[in-house]
């Protein structure tokens, strides 16, 4: 599903260079649920941005669903992002002056789906997250947990191949955090690959695999421990990940 | 997608109402000033009778002071008006298809038996061809016959405005009016007629409306009329009687002729040259021979209807529009950057740079369209204000009254130009917002 090899990303200013990712290699298989942990400034978010095609990398190779993304134009990267990736952010990132229905509609608009198809997808996604009755509420009228569920519905509506979740429970209380986690597990069980950045070791333990990043490199990883036979079927540990050595 | 972008643009207007109002205000102000200036410029500079430009001529003779020209800035030009006696001599020619001599006067119009208070009315005292030579449209009746100039016959033509005011817009042909306490019979009522600039008498105010009453030229002597416009003289003369005045070297009469072809033009030029040569023998016209037949286009230039100041004013108006648009660029950048986190979300959800650019360009178009409409309205208000400012005397046509009748071609031109300029001004902010890396806003939102 995702295969990064020797990725480097450097942020430069006039005075300093910051190596956000150094020779970073990771493979994630179809249907995996990978937790990414690490201290602040370790490169977790840069990894997520590169993985989500929101930033370009300096060196290395990145294949997403078998497609080399390093030479894609902005138009092609945007299309890939729209069709294959769903984002879930810590601060939800709902558009404040659109109601929940219209928020979920945003990625579908860029896919140029017809109105009927969009409507079906939006309603179905909102049903999955349990927000059908709130579809015409504004984000400010919802609790933090509901907003995150709406954001998950937005990510799901496009039927993406994998979800990138950046601290999805960071802004909700522990009860809501558990609900959000349950929801992500359900989604994963339906076959969607999930990569989740988190500071919470409890949540990280619920993933199939835990990748720990320090100074832009993978310092540790917990091998894949399938939770059930169904998920295990067809999913293998990516070969690149298997060769990873701690920094 | 355009429909979606349009919907978003309308929604975004409310997102930063202060910035939106400032932008629309800046665009509107720039456009309003341009529309007002262009309208004035067009009103002042157009040839309102262009279809007769090659047959219609102002007649001028250089009967001025032998020691100095009539116009020191343009010494090559003869004076712009004629003496009464020269005008009376030239009107005798049968070469022109149409010919007129005339001047402006002021009278008071009253109607017996009607509860209409006497009106002070600008009046044109003219020979009969005035209406034919300038293609003046009639609503009721028509002009008078040439013999009415000689009688003179007590006949008058009213403007539409005067007829509306005095007779409530009815067909007043055959009705009597009192003009300076003398009875005149209405023989015609003009339809709407607004030649701008008022080319046939530019020295009296190029933006004035045509006169409200027209009476035969023959009434000059009978009523001892004088010009309500400029009367200029160079020669110290004893003028004690009206007869002295009309025999003097004072110039106050305008003359126009319609010469249908080059032959007629040459013949009439020879006619006026011969007239002047003959006059030279009696001691008049001591300046070099300089008799001119000037077409309307050249007449407007010679009389500086469109001066350099006006052109500078148009330039300044466009410079002001440019300043407004530059401000708008800054405001657009501020607005778009203010909304960059939302753009970042859209980018993350699959919007390409091109789609972000298009979305913002549609937003710019909506803002500029609203600004353009507001600018047009504001420009209209400014013109009305200008009109009110200059209309001190309600009977005075008040040059800018005419500006209420804006030329929609020039307004449309200004609007299209402004719309294009505003959208062009929005290209950079729309492009800029699409280039911002989305990731930096997603974490900080």
């Amino acid at each position: 599903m995702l295969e990064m090899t020797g990725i480097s990303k450097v942020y430069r200013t006039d005075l300093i260079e910051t190596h956000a990712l150094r020779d970073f290699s990771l493979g994630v298989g179809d249907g995996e649920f990978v937790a990414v942990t690490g201290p602040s400034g370790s490169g977790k978010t840069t990894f997520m941005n590169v993985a989500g095609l929101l930033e370009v990398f300096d060196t290395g190779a990145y294949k997403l669903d078998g497609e080399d993304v390093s030479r894609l134009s902005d138009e092609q990267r945007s299309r890939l992002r729209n069709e294959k990736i769903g984002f879930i952010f810590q601060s939800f990132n709902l558009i404040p002056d659109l109601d929940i229905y219209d928020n979920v509609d945003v990625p579908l608009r860029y896919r140029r789906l017809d109105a009927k198809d969009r409507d079906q997808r939006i309603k179905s996604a909102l049903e999955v997250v349990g927000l059908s009755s709130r579809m015409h509420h504004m984000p400010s009228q919802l609790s933090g947990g509901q907003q995150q569920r709406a954001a998950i519905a937005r990510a799901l509506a496009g039927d993406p191949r994998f979800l990138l979740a950046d601290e999805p429970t960071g802004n909700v209380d522990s009860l809501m955090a558990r609900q959000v986690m349950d929801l992500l597990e359900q989604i994963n069980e339906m076959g969607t690959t999930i990569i989740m950045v988190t500071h919470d070791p409890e949540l990280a333990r619920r993933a199939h695999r835990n990748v720990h990043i320090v100074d832009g490199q993978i310092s540790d990883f917990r091998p894949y421990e399938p939770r059930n036979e169904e998920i295990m079927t067809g999913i293998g540990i990516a070969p690149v990940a298997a060769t990873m050595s701690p920094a | 997608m355009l429909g979606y972008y349009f919907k978003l643009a309308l929604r975004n207007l409310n997102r930063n109402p202060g910035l939106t109002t400032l932008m629309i205000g800046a665009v509107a102000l720039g456009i309003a000033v341009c529309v007002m200036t262009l309208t004035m410029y067009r009103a002042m500079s157009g040839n309102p009778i262009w279809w007769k430009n090659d047959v219609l001529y102002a007649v001028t003779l250089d009967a001025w002071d032998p020691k100095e020209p009539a116009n020191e800035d343009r010494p090559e030009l003869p004076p712009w008006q004629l003496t009464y006696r020269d005008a009376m001599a030239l009107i005798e020619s049968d070469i022109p298809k149409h010919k007129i001599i005339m001047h402006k006067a002021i009278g008071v119009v009253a109607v017996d038996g009607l509860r209409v208070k006497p009106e002070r009315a600008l009046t044109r005292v003219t020979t009969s061809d005035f209406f034919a030579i300038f293609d003046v449209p009639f609503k009721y009746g028509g002009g008078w016959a040439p013999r009415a100039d000689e009688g003179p016959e007590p006949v008058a033509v009213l403007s539409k405005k005067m007829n509306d005011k005095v007779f409530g817009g009815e067909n007043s042909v055959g009705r009597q009016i009192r003009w300076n306490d003398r009875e005149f019979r209405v023989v015609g009522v003009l339809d709407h007629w607004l030649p701008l600039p008022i080319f046939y008498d530019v020295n009296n105010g190029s933006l004035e409306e045509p006169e409200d009453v027209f009476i035969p030229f023959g009434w000059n002597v009978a009523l001892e009329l004088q010009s309500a416009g400029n009367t200029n003289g160079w020669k110290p003369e004893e003028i004690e009687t009206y007869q002295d005045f009309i025999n003097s070297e004072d110039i106050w009469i305008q003359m126009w002729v319609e010469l249908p072809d080059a032959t007629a033009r040459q013949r009439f030029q020879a006619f006026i040259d011969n007239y002047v040569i003959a006059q030279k023998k009696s001691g008049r016209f001591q300046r070099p021979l300089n008799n001119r037949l000037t077409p309307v286009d050249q007449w407007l230039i010679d009389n500086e209807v469109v001066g350099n100041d006006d052109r500078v004013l148009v330039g300044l108006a466009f410079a002001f529009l440019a300043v407004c648009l530059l401000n708008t660029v800054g405001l657009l950048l501020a607005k778009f950057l203010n909304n960059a986190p939302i753009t970042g979300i859209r980018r993350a959800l699959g919007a390409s740079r091109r789609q972000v650019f298009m979305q913002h360009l549609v937003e710019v178009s909506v803002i500029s369209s609203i600004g353009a409409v507001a600018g047009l309205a504001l420009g209209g208000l400014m013109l009305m204000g200008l009109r009110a400012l200059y209309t001190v005397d309600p009977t005075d046509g008040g040059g800018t009254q005419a500006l209420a009748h804006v030329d929609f071609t020039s307004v449309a031109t200004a609007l299209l130009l402004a719309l294009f300029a505003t959208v062009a001004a929005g290209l950079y902010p729309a492009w800029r917002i699409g280039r911002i890396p989305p990731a930096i806003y997603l974490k900080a939102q």
Side-chain angles (χ1 to χ4, degrees):
Chain A
M1 178 72 225
L2 176 153
E3 188 179 324
M4 287 183 175
T5 312
I7 296 283
S8 300
K9 175 71 184 174
V10 182
Y11 295 107
R12 292 184 177 85
T13 67
D14 290 342
L15 297 176
I16 55 168
E17 284 189 348
T18 306
H19 292 261
L21 292 177
R22 301 166 191 258
D23 194 23
F24 186 97
S25 298
L26 176 67
V28 177
D30 269 345
E32 264 199 284
F33 190 155
V34 177
V36 179
T37 58
S40 292
S42 59
K44 301 188 299 293
T45 298
T46 304
F47 158 68
M48 292 291 270
N49 288 338
V50 170
L53 307 179
L54 293 171
E55 286 196 55
V56 291
F57 47 90
D58 297 322
T59 58
Y62 174 21
K63 281 187 179 174
L64 178 64
D65 206 15
E67 188 170 359
D68 181 0
V69 302
S70 55
R71 292 181 189 278
L72 296 183
S73 66
D74 177 74
E75 200 79 26
Q76 291 166 318
R77 292 165 66 86
S78 301
R79 188 176 45 76
L80 262 185
R81 206 160 52 229
N82 179 262
E83 291 177 0
K84 295 197 172 171
I85 307 172
F87 287 94
I88 301 167
F89 304 98
Q90 179 180 0
S91 50
F92 323 132
N93 281 350
L94 295 171
I95 297 175
D97 53 1
L98 298 182
D99 65 18
I100 299 306
Y101 183 96
D102 285 339
N103 262 288
V104 177
D105 188 31
V106 171
L108 307 180
R109 287 281 186 172
Y110 294 116
R111 206 182 288 188
R112 301 184 179 215
L113 299 174
D114 64 49
K116 193 177 165 191
D117 191 7
R118 291 200 323 268
D119 184 65
Q120 275 176 356
R121 284 169 177 259
I122 295 166
K123 287 177 176 164
S124 162
L126 286 172
E127 199 175 326
V128 168
V129 301
L131 283 178
S132 294
S133 60
R134 307 290 174 101
M135 67 169 74
H136 294 301
H137 283 56
M138 301 304 283
S140 59
Q141 295 171 312
L142 302 181
S143 69
Q146 288 172 322
Q147 287 190 48
Q148 191 58 296
R149 276 152 55 199
I152 292 170
R154 183 177 63 186
L156 286 179
D159 196 17
R161 295 291 310 278
F162 82 109
L163 282 183
L164 287 171
D166 191 358
E167 308 237 24
T169 58
N171 274 0
V172 294
D173 59 36
S174 56
L175 178 65
M176 284 297 171
R178 232 179 358 257
Q179 286 182 5
V180 168
M181 240 356 248
D182 291 345
L183 190 54
L184 289 178
E185 281 175 351
Q186 272 179 35
I187 293 164
N188 178 243
E189 280 166 16
M190 288 188 285
T192 306
T193 308
I194 297 179
I195 299 177
M196 177 182 71
V197 166
T198 181
H199 275 110
D200 187 336
E202 276 302 310
L203 295 180
R205 267 197 288 277
R206 291 175 66 172
H208 303 163
R209 186 149 62 102
N210 189 354
V211 174
H212 192 69
I213 301 178
V214 176
D215 288 340
Q217 289 182 309
I218 294 177
S219 68
D220 188 17
F221 65 95
R222 183 160 59 90
Y224 179 52
E225 294 172 9
R227 289 168 300 167
N228 56 51
E229 289 305 314
E230 290 90 336
I231 291 173
M232 195 166 68
T233 306
I235 301 174
I237 301 168
V240 180
T243 59
M244 200 71 55
S245 59
Chain B
M1 285 301 275
L2 279 179
Y4 181 58
Y5 296 152
F6 183 71
K7 202 171 125 186
L8 290 177
L10 290 180
R11 198 188 296 269
N12 283 350
L13 293 181
N14 290 326
R15 187 173 285 156
N16 308 99
L19 276 179
T20 305
T21 307
L22 275 175
M23 278 186 292
I24 290 173
V27 173
L29 196 61
I31 291 176
V33 169
C34 271
V35 165
M36 185 181 73
T37 314
L38 267 182
T39 304
M40 286 184 67
Y41 184 80
R42 288 269 304 186
M44 287 188 293
S45 65
N47 177 353
I49 192 160
W50 49 269
W51 62 94
K52 278 195 159 181
N53 197 53
D54 55 350
V55 293
L56 193 58
Y57 300 94
V59 181
T60 50
L61 313 176
D62 200 347
W64 202 250
D65 186 352
K67 292 177 188 159
E68 57 184 49
N71 180 351
E72 289 195 354
D73 293 334
R74 301 284 305 274
E76 76 279 12
L77 293 180
W80 55 90
Q81 296 184 113
L82 304 177
T83 64
Y84 180 85
R85 57 176 160 162
D86 291 333
M88 290 300 286
L90 298 185
I91 199 76
E92 292 301 318
S93 168
D94 58 2
I95 299 168
K97 181 181 174 191
H98 295 297
K99 55 193 175 177
I100 52 166
I101 52 176
M102 60 184 180
H103 68 91
K104 185 167 76 170
I106 289 180
V108 174
V109 172
V111 180
D112 291 341
L114 286 183
R115 284 187 183 175
V116 179
K117 66 178 182 181
E119 284 281 343
R120 189 163 158 265
L122 284 178
T123 302
R124 183 138 295 264
V125 185
T126 178
T127 49
S128 59
D129 265 358
F130 180 90
F131 310 103
I133 199 169
F134 295 141
D135 290 346
V136 182
F138 275 87
K139 190 172 185 188
Y140 305 118
W144 55 82
R147 66 171 185 283
D149 289 323
E150 292 158 15
E153 290 178 15
V155 291
V157 167
L158 303 182
S159 72
K160 181 175 182 299
K161 191 171 89 177
M162 178 58 77
N163 189 59
D164 288 348
K165 201 181 285 183
V166 176
F167 294 108
E170 288 178 5
N171 184 352
S172 58
V173 171
R175 304 280 294 269
Q176 296 286 323
I177 61 166
R178 294 186 71 78
W179 189 86
N180 282 2
D181 283 337
R182 183 172 287 266
E183 291 279 336
F184 282 81
R185 179 171 50 84
V186 177
V187 293
V189 175
L190 301 189
D191 207 340
H192 176 72
W193 185 54
L194 189 68
L196 276 180
I198 191 161
F199 62 96
Y200 58 78
D201 195 0
V202 288
N203 61 77
N204 286 335
S206 58
L207 283 178
E208 286 186 1
E209 287 183 342
E211 291 76 8
D212 284 324
V213 181
F214 299 80
I215 61 172
F217 192 80
W219 285 102
N220 273 310
V221 174
L223 298 176
E224 298 195 347
L225 299 176
Q226 295 197 6
S227 173
N230 293 323
T231 299
N232 302 96
W234 58 275
K235 191 176 183 182
E237 293 174 291
E238 288 273 322
I239 299 177
E240 295 190 351
T241 64
Y242 191 76
Q243 205 59 41
D244 292 340
F245 173 60
I246 61 175
N247 287 329
S248 74
E249 292 293 342
D250 285 356
I251 54 171
W252 55 291
I253 305 292
Q254 300 103 41
M255 180 171 193
W256 287 82
V257 290
E258 183 176 334
L259 302 164
D261 52 41
T263 309
R265 189 180 186 285
Q266 284 165 3
R267 284 179 61 212
F268 192 71
Q269 181 72 51
F271 170 78
I272 58 176
D273 286 347
N274 289 337
Y275 169 77
V276 171
I277 289 166
Q279 290 293 306
K280 277 177 179 286
K281 288 176 185 163
S282 61
R284 296 182 69 224
F285 289 93
Q286 291 173 36
R287 293 181 62 77
L289 202 63
N290 185 15
N291 311 312
R292 295 192 178 208
L293 297 173
T294 311
V296 180
D297 275 351
Q298 190 60 41
W299 179 252
L300 295 173
I301 294 167
D302 287 350
N303 287 281
E304 296 180 348
V305 173
V306 186
N308 280 334
D309 289 352
D310 302 316
R311 293 189 189 95
V312 169
L313 199 64
V314 171
L316 282 176
F318 277 95
F320 182 71
L321 176 63
V323 170
C324 289
L325 292 179
L326 277 176
N327 276 307
T328 307
V329 171
L331 292 167
L332 279 169
L333 269 175
K335 183 178 167 74
F336 290 171
L337 289 176
N338 200 28
N339 292 334
I342 289 168
T343 304
I345 297 169
R346 290 187 177 278
R347 292 276 283 137
L349 298 177
S352 64
R353 282 182 188 148
R354 187 183 54 79
Q355 286 171 316
V356 168
F357 175 77
M358 282 305 297
Q359 181 202 322
H360 286 86
L361 206 59
V362 168
E363 189 169 339
V364 169
S365 304
V366 169
I367 288 169
S368 59
S369 300
I370 296 173
V373 172
L376 183 59
L378 192 61
L381 283 175
M382 283 177 170
L383 286 171
M384 282 169 68
L386 207 62
R387 178 185 166 195
L389 190 68
Y390 280 82
T391 312
V392 178
D393 180 351
T395 60
D396 180 359
T400 47
Q401 280 207 24
L403 296 175
H405 306 273
V406 291
D407 172 10
F408 283 96
T409 308
S410 65
V411 170
T413 307
L415 272 179
L416 284 176
L417 185 70
L419 271 173
F420 178 76
T422 314
V423 172
L427 286 176
Y428 174 67
W431 174 82
R432 180 82 182 76
I433 192 71
R435 308 295 299 183
I436 292 176
I440 58 173
Y441 291 104
L442 296 173
K443 193 81 174 171
Q445 243 256 325

